[in-house]
Amino acid sequence: MEALRNRILEEGQCLGGGILKVDGFVNHRVEGSLMAACGQAFADIFRETNPDIILTAEISGIAPALMTASSLNLCVVYARKKRPVTMPDNAYVSSAPSHTKGGVTPLLVSPEFLKGGERVLIIDDFLATGQTIKALADLCRQAGAELVGVGALIEKTFEGGRDTLKGLNVPIHSLAQITHLSEGVIEVAP
Amino acid sequence: MEALRNRILEEGQCLGGGILKVDGFVNHRVEGSLMAACGQAFADIFRETNPDIILTAEISGIAPALMTASSLNLCVVYARKKRPVTMPDNAYVSSAPSHTKGGVTPLLVSPEFLKGGERVLIIDDFLATGQTIKALADLCRQAGAELVGVGALIEKTFEGGRDTLKGLNVPIHSLAQITHLSEGVIEVAP
């Protein structure tokens, strides 16, 4: 997606250690029109997979997932990282190593909002090692729901996420692919 | 806003201790079309305040704030509760007591994305005691930005938020007002 690729090239910053800073349009400030266009792009790509619901992980997955849900006229469920007081005890729980924060992050979804048989489209901000998306897919498995696709705004192709997720046997699409990242150098696939 | 009021009456649950569970359409699952309508409602209410940017607090503020930003063709900045590795050391910091989680929650915004002179519209999910919105307003003050309005999806009128925020001297609007909340009883203003 050209608008996103251009934005990464103009504003993205490599902070070292494989960390791409895109706080100006993904992780801290979000431009309504750019994110709406990304949601529309995901909707066009995944409409034929016929999803019932969008699943993402808080925090930075919410914006692209909500815009996709809005374009497809669906609901988005965002997995929580801490159990809120309003969540029942029988929540589905999975966990993923945190790339930028260190440690392991639990992901929780209430059985109220993820049902057996539902067709689930996962949308997230990044596809890097694929561990967060793998954890979301595991929540689907626990719920007896059917994963139908995976979409990410930005993929780091050199971190092996697609290999990690190969076993899911669903289409995986990203809107921008970073092929190389080192201090001062960000390469985005055309 | 009728759609939101009806949804609260149909699906909201009072869990005691002043906690209203709206996980099915605000805090865990979000319906794209309902949230888009809420964003449009905020846009219609606040357009004349001529905001440059929308400010909210992660996590549950992101959805209504993003939909408002999308309707007004603006950016949304969501204050972070933990400092990400990508945030510079000179971030603006404020803090608010957490209603549902206990303790005090810091709110951080990078000076990169909140500038002196900007006209800021705060949009959040709840207006209860007003402490989170007060903390967001304080971030604006630190940045030298000008607060022009405050919008919340759901107001609990009996928790005193409007009094707390009176000194801000800006219009405050909520899309649904809960006037009474006790076990089994939720009253929403017509």
Side-chain angles (χ1 to χ4, degrees):
Chain A
M1 191 204 172
E2 202 182 344
L4 183 62
R5 280 199 300 269
N6 290 343
R7 198 67 179 264
I8 293 166
L9 289 170
E10 284 160 20
E11 278 190 42
Q13 282 176 266
C14 175
L15 300 186
I19 294 171
L20 175 67
K21 175 173 172 171
V22 286
D23 287 6
F25 52 104
V26 174
N27 297 119
H28 188 19
R29 180 176 66 181
V30 175
E31 190 180 302
S33 57
L34 177 63
M35 202 54 82
C38 291
Q40 188 59 55
F42 282 132
D44 293 342
I45 291 167
F46 289 109
R47 187 172 282 110
E48 64 180 18
T49 68
N50 205 19
D52 297 312
I53 197 159
I54 314 290
L55 179 65
T56 192
E58 68 180 30
I59 301 164
S60 300
I62 295 174
L66 175 61
M67 284 311 196
T68 307
S70 182
S71 287
L72 289 170
N73 204 16
L74 296 175
C75 288
V76 56
V77 173
Y78 51 96
R80 310 296 313 245
K81 292 182 178 171
K82 278 187 188 169
R83 181 190 298 269
V85 292
T86 52
M87 186 176 276
D89 292 336
N90 62 342
Y92 303 120
V93 186
S94 186
S95 62
S98 171
H99 195 59
T100 49
K101 289 177 190 162
V104 168
T105 305
L107 291 174
L108 300 100
V109 165
S110 171
E112 301 162 292
F113 307 121
L114 189 61
K115 306 279 190 189
E118 280 186 319
R119 298 173 63 83
V120 181
L121 170 60
I122 292 175
I123 298 288
D124 206 358
D125 56 342
F126 273 96
L127 169 55
T129 64
Q131 294 300 325
T132 300
I133 289 170
K134 195 177 163 195
L136 289 171
D138 189 58
L139 294 172
C140 294
R141 185 195 57 73
Q142 291 178 45
E146 184 186 353
L147 186 66
V148 298
V150 170
L153 290 177
I154 303 173
E155 178 178 358
K156 297 180 193 167
T157 59
F158 48 89
E159 292 200 15
R162 277 187 193 253
D163 268 356
T164 301
L165 303 179
K166 210 163 46 183
L168 298 175
N169 281 315
V170 295
I172 299 171
H173 291 281
S174 55
L175 300 186
Q177 295 85 42
I178 313 277
T179 53
H180 179 81
L181 195 58
S182 58
E183 224 127 336
V185 183
I186 299 172
E187 287 174 14
V188 184
Chain B
M1 190 203 173
E2 202 182 344
L4 183 62
R5 281 198 300 270
N6 290 343
R7 199 65 179 263
I8 293 167
L9 288 170
E10 286 160 19
E11 278 190 41
Q13 282 176 265
C14 176
L15 300 187
I19 293 171
L20 175 67
K21 175 172 172 170
V22 286
D23 287 7
F25 52 103
V26 174
N27 297 120
H28 188 20
R29 180 176 64 181
V30 175
E31 190 180 302
S33 56
L34 177 63
M35 202 53 83
C38 291
Q40 189 58 54
F42 282 133
D44 292 342
I45 291 167
F46 289 108
R47 188 173 282 109
E48 63 181 18
T49 67
N50 204 20
D52 297 312
I53 197 158
I54 313 291
L55 178 65
T56 191
E58 67 181 29
I59 298 164
S60 299
I62 295 174
L66 175 61
M67 285 311 197
T68 308
S70 183
S71 288
L72 290 170
N73 203 17
L74 296 176
C75 288
V76 56
V77 172
Y78 51 97
R80 309 296 311 246
K81 292 181 178 171
K82 278 188 188 170
R83 182 191 297 270
V85 292
T86 51
M87 185 177 276
D89 292 335
N90 62 341
Y92 303 122
V93 185
S94 186
S95 63
S98 172
H99 195 59
T100 49
K101 290 177 188 160
V104 169
T105 304
L107 291 174
L108 300 100
V109 165
S110 171
E112 300 162 292
F113 307 122
L114 190 60
K115 307 278 190 189
E118 280 187 319
R119 298 174 63 83
V120 181
L121 170 60
I122 291 175
I123 297 288
D124 206 357
D125 56 341
F126 273 95
L127 169 56
T129 64
Q131 294 300 325
T132 300
I133 289 169
K134 195 177 164 196
L136 289 172
D138 189 58
L139 294 172
C140 294
R141 186 194 55 74
Q142 291 178 46
E146 184 186 352
L147 185 66
V148 299
V150 170
L153 290 177
I154 303 173
E155 178 177 359
K156 297 181 194 164
T157 60
F158 48 89
E159 292 200 15
R162 279 189 191 253
D163 267 358
T164 301
L165 303 178
K166 211 163 43 186
L168 298 175
N169 281 315
V170 295
I172 299 171
H173 291 281
S174 55
L175 301 186
Q177 296 86 42
I178 314 278
T179 53
H180 179 81
L181 196 58
S182 58
E183 223 127 337
V185 182
I186 299 172
E187 287 174 13
V188 184

